[in-house]
Amino acid sequence: MKRRREGEASSPSRSQSLLEASDAAAGAGAVDSPLSPRQSNQLKKSRVEDEGAEKGVHAEEEEEEMRNAVSSRSTVAATTTTTTLMNDEARLVAVGDKAPDFTADVVNDAGEFDRVQLSQYLGRYVVLIFYPLDFTFVCPTELLAINAQARALASMNCVPLGISVDSKYTHLAWLNTPLHQGGLGARESKFYIPLVSDLTRTISRAYGVLDHTHGHSTRTLVVVSDKGVVRAVVDNGGSVGRSTEELVRVVQALQHTDANPHEACPVDWKQGGATIVTTPTASKAYFAGDHMST
């Protein structure tokens, strides 16, 4: 059935045509022009058909309105779901969160392919060094500097793991590229940091460090405690390298406060420095000393 468009003039119905014909006859001078029995039956039949047609039009209109309403609700629901998923993916892990566990391919410190799982390091601190890509500019400077602190970190029961979206094959090629060509120079000197392949972006998404615009990890550092809890997060811009000295200092401070839960490490604290006992009375011992001099 053809649906009448909104605002479109309707064509006269059969019953209307019969009545108009009768009125025309009356206007032509007929004193009394009743419908014949045949015309009367036709008029009744036409009225029934007209009513049915009108009901059909209304039914079509109601059905289309229902389809439009369902489509609108589906679109809103899909948009809401997509936005929720993107927001969930975009959430950067926070201090106090349980570190998301993962299992992934890795190039180990012997230069061999292996598998690694974060939870295998429970009982040790782990530093997750997310970086954008191999064969770039700032990234090798950071990894080489942290590699120089690898033994110091090991003495603190701390394991560094480099993580990017590159494949294990690209990691291996970068490791074996000479230093003067922007590589990590593993053939020239020992490289201790295992490089994790996050080719599927699963780890980066779980930690909220995936740059959705460029498709790689952001320059983010996550310190995970020996109990698998996130203790520190440093998120730098892509063009700014992180401080290795600050990384070591923060891990030392966190481990000190783990062992001494009633103490806090003040600004620029370094291992062996004075701490603050976190009670109103005992803290005055720190403030009464020379620590507050400008």
Side-chain angles (χ1 to χ4, degrees):
M1 183 181 293
K2 183 177 180 181
R3 184 186 168 197
R4 185 173 67 249
R5 295 180 180 175
E6 186 177 350
E8 183 180 336
S10 60
S11 59
S13 64
R14 292 184 61 188
S15 58
Q16 286 176 327
S17 298
L18 287 170
L19 288 173
E20 288 171 359
S22 176
D23 291 342
V31 177
D32 187 14
S33 56
L35 294 173
S36 67
R38 182 180 177 184
Q39 288 177 321
S40 179
N41 288 335
Q42 287 179 337
L43 178 60
K44 291 178 181 178
K45 181 179 179 182
S46 298
R47 281 175 172 166
V48 170
E49 290 176 352
D50 290 345
E51 290 174 359
E54 191 67 24
K55 288 179 180 178
V57 170
H58 290 320
E60 280 192 353
E61 290 176 345
E62 290 176 359
E63 184 177 351
E64 185 165 343
E65 287 175 0
M66 290 179 66
R67 284 198 300 267
N68 289 339
V70 170
S71 176
S72 177
R73 286 195 296 270
S74 298
T75 301
V76 171
T79 302
T80 302
T81 301
T82 302
T83 302
T84 300
L85 286 173
M86 289 184 68
N87 287 341
D88 287 345
E89 290 178 348
R91 179 189 178 277
L92 181 64
V93 290
V95 172
D97 287 351
K98 180 177 175 56
D101 195 14
F102 60 82
T103 302
D105 288 330
V106 65
V107 181
N108 62 27
D109 60 355
E112 298 291 342
F113 294 146
D114 204 347
R115 296 283 286 174
V116 67
Q117 185 171 7
L118 179 63
S119 56
Q120 77 186 55
Y121 296 111
L122 284 172
R124 305 174 70 181
Y125 262 70
V126 180
V127 177
L128 303 178
I129 311 159
F130 289 96
Y131 63 94
L133 291 167
D134 297 349
F135 292 101
T136 51
F137 311 109
V138 177
C139 300
T141 68
E142 291 186 307
L143 289 174
L144 288 168
I146 295 173
N147 187 61
Q149 297 290 337
R151 291 182 178 178
L153 290 170
S155 69
M156 297 156 54
N157 199 28
C158 181
V159 179
L161 294 176
I163 306 175
S164 78
V165 299
D166 298 280
S167 72
K168 60 185 179 181
Y169 304 102
T170 304
H171 281 335
L172 183 61
W174 194 36
L175 278 166
N176 292 328
T177 299
L179 294 172
H180 71 275
Q181 293 181 0
L184 298 179
R187 291 179 177 175
E188 302 166 47
S189 58
K190 178 69 173 176
F191 192 83
Y192 298 95
I193 304 173
L195 297 182
V196 178
S197 171
D198 185 23
L199 195 59
T200 62
R201 278 70 171 170
T202 304
I203 306 171
S204 297
R205 286 192 176 96
Y207 281 80
V209 300
L210 181 64
D211 182 335
H212 293 276
T213 301
H214 299 100
H216 57 62
S217 308
T218 56
R219 196 175 302 285
T220 306
L221 188 147
V222 180
V223 178
V224 180
S225 76
D226 53 353
K227 295 179 176 58
V229 177
V230 174
R231 297 297 307 279
V233 180
V234 179
D235 190 25
N236 279 25
S239 58
V240 179
R242 292 157 285 198
S243 169
T244 305
E245 183 180 350
E246 177 65 5
L247 166 61
V248 173
R249 188 191 77 84
V250 167
V251 173
Q252 289 173 338
L254 290 171
Q255 292 182 340
H256 181 90
T257 56
D258 284 346
N260 303 275
H262 299 296
E263 294 183 20
C265 297
V267 62
D268 294 331
W269 179 90
K270 292 183 179 179
Q271 193 168 38
T275 57
I276 305 172
V277 179
T278 55
T279 65
T281 301
S283 63
K284 290 182 174 56
Y286 177 85
F287 297 119
D290 297 330
H291 314 293
M292 300 302 292
S293 60
T294 58

